[in-house]
Amino acid sequence: MRITLHNTLSNSREEFAPANPERVTMYVCGPTVHGPSHLGNARPAAVFDVLFRLLSRAYPNVAYARNITDIDDKIIAAAEKSGEETAAVAARWRGEYERDMRRLFVLPPTFAPAATECIGAMIKMISLLIKKENAYESGGNVLFSAASFPAYGALSNRRDGDAPAVARVEAGEYKRDPADFVLWKPSPPEAPGWESPWGRGRPGWHIECSAMAAQCLGETIDIHGGGQDLIFPHHENEIAQSCCASGKAVFAKYWMHNGHLALAGEKMSKSLGNTLTISGALAKHPGEAVRYALLATHYRHPLNWSESLLSEAKRALDSLYRAAAAVTPLSAKEDAPPSDALADALADDINTPAAFAALHSAAGDIQRGKAGEEEKRAFLSGANLMGFLSQNPDEWFKGGDAAADNSEIEELIERRRRARENRDFSAADDIRKQLAARGIVLEDSPEGTKWRSAS
């Protein structure tokens, strides 16, 4: 399969050629877990999930890492406001994000590293950068010297003439140059911190992703993705510190960025107070409908979010599920290939609108009785490749949401686990009975609790 991707670094379409076809590597920046995740976090998750599925069909092994930033000023502020430990705040919102992903039918990545789990790797990388004179200590901080990396600015097209724009980022009197950025910062006694050669402190945001990518995938990777707002300074800084640490000219060969999510034509952002949460959308709409809406526009273009977009997504899925109802009796082969039209659309820089068109064309043929078993299986395979038609058609038209049900079950099991941990056996037993009444059987073991349907 010939896959072409738009590379932000070259600003052009390029044929995808992994460094090692036996192990394709992809890293995508995940959320900072200080509160409910918004739909802007959901768009890259859905887009790169489709790419992950496509690559997994084309190559024998795809190593995909999507990180969690669980130490940050925003998380510390949220913990101070709620009176909780920082780790508790991060764990709660990470749990909600992961439940949201399941309800959007986003596959789990191969690796889901959290920043606090990789502090050692960050300290090691910072030490190496200091040794190579790409970083320096100043005022209790460790900073990267942007001037030490001549290629700085290549991704964002910000060069020396853009110094005023660069200077607005993490300004501080302790910098040698306005473009320098923090790798390690001191932590006061009341804040989270880790011991390091430079004193007790915590990492800067940018070094987190470089260290986690290297730890999970290696010093150079095939694809790095995220939202357009991360191009500068985050991804620019990742390139600089990663290349200097490894001594290699390339950190990621292909850089991919999705467009902004807009509400009433205005970019959705917390600073503007116009964000919508994933959980809020899922409370009113099926997970597949929200997923469809996220993929309805080509990933590189802005996506204008609205209730009418979700209504259109639901109607489109109704049409696909009506076709699926005619296919369900077939024993569809799991390895059946999708149609050439759908596969070619996704291989063309993840052209989801064209892929949807191919899917609906196939659905129309099925409903008109013009499709044979091979075409019907290709239809199911194509829908699966895009992350759709995961439910029984009867359940879909009854208004069910299988992912929502599963998410609720997992949440009840987690509540039961905490109750047992706190020796509140009465509450734990009540949850077991509640699940049993819904036909859910729990099986406890030293490895944890698993569940299955009694039927």
Side-chain angles (χ1 to χ4, degrees):
M1 180 185 293
R2 181 176 180 271
I3 298 173
T4 60
L5 303 172
H6 184 275
N7 191 350
T8 305
L9 190 60
S10 64
N11 193 28
S12 64
R13 292 278 187 93
E14 298 179 16
E15 183 171 351
F16 179 63
N20 177 9
E22 296 301 313
R23 186 177 186 264
V24 175
T25 52
M26 179 168 72
Y27 184 92
V28 176
C29 291
T32 298
V33 285
H34 63 95
S37 296
H38 56 80
L39 285 165
N41 300 125
R43 193 179 191 193
V47 166
F48 289 103
D49 178 63
V50 174
L51 180 56
F52 180 36
R53 291 167 183 261
L54 179 69
L55 293 171
S56 297
R57 274 191 171 267
Y59 296 94
N61 180 16
V62 180
Y64 171 28
R66 187 185 68 223
N67 77 293
I68 295 288
T69 297
D70 60 348
I71 181 64
D72 181 85
D73 289 343
K74 295 175 182 177
I75 301 173
I76 294 172
E80 290 175 351
K81 186 176 181 180
S82 66
E84 298 173 88
E85 293 292 330
T86 306
V89 170
R92 180 171 72 256
W93 295 119
R94 176 179 184 170
E96 179 172 302
Y97 172 77
E98 291 173 346
R99 285 192 294 275
D100 289 343
M101 293 301 101
R102 289 194 294 271
R103 292 186 62 186
L104 292 175
F105 298 91
V106 171
L107 298 176
T110 317
F111 305 99
T116 57
E117 299 166 353
C118 304
I119 298 294
M122 297 170 202
I123 291 174
K124 183 177 179 181
M125 182 174 281
I126 294 169
S127 298
L128 184 58
L129 290 169
I130 292 174
K131 183 178 180 180
K132 291 187 170 188
E133 299 185 349
N134 298 113
Y136 59 93
E137 296 180 60
S138 177
N141 298 270
V142 179
L143 297 105
F144 182 86
S145 171
S148 73
F149 184 60
Y152 189 81
L155 181 69
S156 60
N157 288 316
R158 294 174 186 255
R159 302 294 184 174
D160 292 341
D162 299 316
V166 175
R168 289 195 296 269
V169 181
E170 294 181 336
E173 295 179 358
Y174 45 82
K175 293 185 178 186
R176 295 176 181 171
D177 185 275
D180 296 351
F181 55 90
V182 172
L183 300 176
W184 189 264
K185 61 181 75 175
S187 289
E190 68 278 7
W194 290 263
E195 294 302 325
S196 79
W198 321 287
R200 184 176 179 277
R202 58 188 177 88
W205 176 34
H206 313 301
I207 196 69
E208 293 179 354
C209 281
S210 284
M212 287 186 279
Q215 181 168 299
C216 295
L217 304 176
E219 290 181 329
T220 59
I221 59 177
D222 294 311
I223 299 170
H224 196 310
Q228 286 180 348
D229 56 321
L230 298 180
I231 295 174
F232 182 86
H234 187 50
H235 289 167
E236 194 73 75
N237 292 351
E238 276 191 70
I239 292 173
Q241 61 202 10
S242 294
C243 288
C244 289
S246 69
K248 298 177 180 178
V250 174
F251 168 40
K253 185 176 180 180
Y254 305 89
W255 287 85
M256 300 177 65
H257 296 92
N258 62 273
H260 296 304
L261 208 67
L263 190 62
E266 190 171 37
K267 177 191 170 185
M268 195 180 293
S269 72
K270 291 180 180 178
S271 61
L272 295 173
N274 66 344
T275 59
L276 293 176
T277 64
I278 304 173
S279 57
L282 291 171
K284 297 190 292 183
H285 305 279
E288 283 190 73
V290 178
R291 180 185 177 93
Y292 194 108
L294 288 166
L295 297 172
T297 301
H298 191 278
Y299 79 94
R300 292 183 57 228
H301 299 159
L303 174 58
N304 198 27
W305 195 260
S306 66
E307 285 298 313
S308 62
L309 176 67
L310 286 159
S311 298
E312 291 167 11
K314 176 61 166 60
R315 285 194 295 271
L317 283 163
D318 285 346
S319 176
L320 296 181
Y321 267 105
R322 279 192 289 272
V327 181
T328 301
L330 293 171
S331 54
K333 296 179 181 178
E334 290 185 4
D335 59 350
S339 69
D340 289 344
L342 185 141
D344 289 346
L346 292 182
D348 180 21
D349 195 31
I350 326 178
N351 191 341
T352 50
F356 279 138
L359 204 56
H360 284 286
S361 176
D365 287 343
I366 291 170
Q367 290 177 284
R368 289 188 295 269
K370 294 183 177 181
E373 282 203 11
E374 185 175 340
E375 288 78 18
K376 290 178 179 179
R377 287 172 175 162
F379 167 73
L380 286 182
S381 178
N384 177 264
L385 180 56
M386 295 188 73
F388 294 102
L389 303 186
S390 301
Q391 299 182 59
N392 180 288
D394 289 340
E395 291 300 317
W396 172 263
F397 288 111
K398 288 176 184 176
D401 189 347
D405 292 342
N406 289 353
S407 179
E408 185 182 356
I409 290 168
E410 295 287 352
E411 188 168 356
L412 286 168
I413 290 172
E414 174 60 17
R415 284 170 53 189
R416 176 175 174 266
R417 183 195 67 77
R418 291 198 298 267
R420 295 176 73 192
E421 194 175 74
N422 295 328
R423 304 188 67 79
D424 187 351
F425 299 114
S426 176
D429 195 46
D430 285 344
I431 293 172
R432 177 187 280 276
K433 289 176 181 177
Q434 181 181 343
L435 289 169
R438 294 167 54 175
I440 302 300
V441 177
L442 301 184
E443 297 175 346
D444 295 319
S445 73
E447 288 74 38
T449 301
K450 296 180 180 180
W451 65 271
R452 60 179 174 82
S453 173
S455 58

